[in-house]
């Protein structure tokens, strides 16, 4: 018995479907993209709680997007509204993307009653005197420069 062979020309062809024009809209006419900033010290996980969005629920709709960041500028998340009831102040979101934007060398550095730490892309590295927490330097571009300045420029600010 001989096996049957089928050539490409003999296969049934299916014409690919095409999108209906009514289903193809500019995004700004279909869903909003919001930008939100967490309050200083607020944990990111709060933004995943449906009650977090209650004060702005009346503004949101299903499939709106939220670009969320923390006040320090070290976190970025992209959220999607999956359920929304403005009358109850209820907005449910899912996380599409979450990125840590901290520099890889963001460990605080202590020296001689001073502490230097990363405080975000605007303020950058900041040196505070301990124990009174007074800022003695800010805007330092990198950890190497922070350490150098703590060992030279800021030593006169230490409380004896």
């Amino acid at each position: 018995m001989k096996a049957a062979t089928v050539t490409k020309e003999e296969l049934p062809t299916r014409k690919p479907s095409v999108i209906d024009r009514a289903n193809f809209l500019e995004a700004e006419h279909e869903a909003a993209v919001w930008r939100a900033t967490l309050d200083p010290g607020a944990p990111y996980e709060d933004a995943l709680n449906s009650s977090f969005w209650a004060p702005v629920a009346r503004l949101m709709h299903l499939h709106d997007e939220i670009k969320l960041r923390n006040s320090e500028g070290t976190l970025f998340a992209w959220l999607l509204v999956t359920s929304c009831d403005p009358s109850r102040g209820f907005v449910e979101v899912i996380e599409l993307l979450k990125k840590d934007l901290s520099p890889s060398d963001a460990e605080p550095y202590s020296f001689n009653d001073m502490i230097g730490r990363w405080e975000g892309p605007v303020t950058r590295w900041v040196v505070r005197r301990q124990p009174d927490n007074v800022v003695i330097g800010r805007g330092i571009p990198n950890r190497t420069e922070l350490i150098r300045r703590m060992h030279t420029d800021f030593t006169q600010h230490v409380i004896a």
Side-chain angles (χ1 to χ4, degrees):
M1 181 166 189
K2 191 173 179 184
T5 58
V6 178
T7 64
K8 187 176 180 184
E9 293 78 29
E10 296 172 358
L11 290 174
T13 58
R14 183 179 89 62
K15 184 177 178 184
S17 61
V18 295
I19 191 163
D20 185 318
R21 175 64 180 98
N23 293 328
F24 186 73
L25 303 170
E26 289 185 54
E28 64 262 20
H29 300 301
E30 181 64 21
V33 178
W34 302 96
R35 191 188 89 198
T37 304
L38 290 168
D39 287 337
Y44 166 72
E45 292 72 26
D46 285 0
L48 301 177
N49 185 312
S50 60
S51 63
F52 178 84
W53 302 102
V56 293
R58 64 182 180 75
L59 302 172
M60 290 199 227
H61 300 91
L62 184 65
H63 300 141
D64 279 1
E65 298 172 22
I66 304 167
K67 294 179 178 182
L68 179 70
R69 62 184 179 166
N70 64 0
S71 60
E72 297 82 16
T74 57
L75 173 120
F76 173 82
W78 184 21
L79 309 175
L80 180 68
V81 175
T82 57
S83 181
C84 187
D85 185 350
S87 63
R88 292 187 10 232
F90 175 86
V91 175
E92 193 169 68
V93 298
I94 60 168
E95 175 186 287
L96 300 175
L97 174 79
K98 179 183 172 191
K99 288 288 186 182
D100 181 0
L101 302 178
S102 301
S104 58
D105 62 350
E107 281 295 311
Y109 179 78
S110 295
F111 172 73
N112 209 14
D113 288 333
M114 293 179 282
I115 186 160
R117 65 172 43 102
W118 175 258
E119 293 192 6
V122 175
T123 310
R124 309 195 58 85
W125 288 91
V126 175
V127 178
R128 294 179 185 272
R129 184 175 63 201
Q130 300 298 316
D132 59 1
N133 211 30
V134 170
V135 173
I136 56 177
R138 73 176 59 207
I140 302 166
N142 55 54
R143 193 167 196 269
T144 303
E145 180 67 9
L146 169 88
I147 293 168
R148 186 194 68 73
R149 292 183 67 186
M150 286 176 74
H151 285 263
T152 56
D153 303 352
F154 299 141
T155 54
Q156 73 272 15
H157 296 287
V158 175
I159 300 172

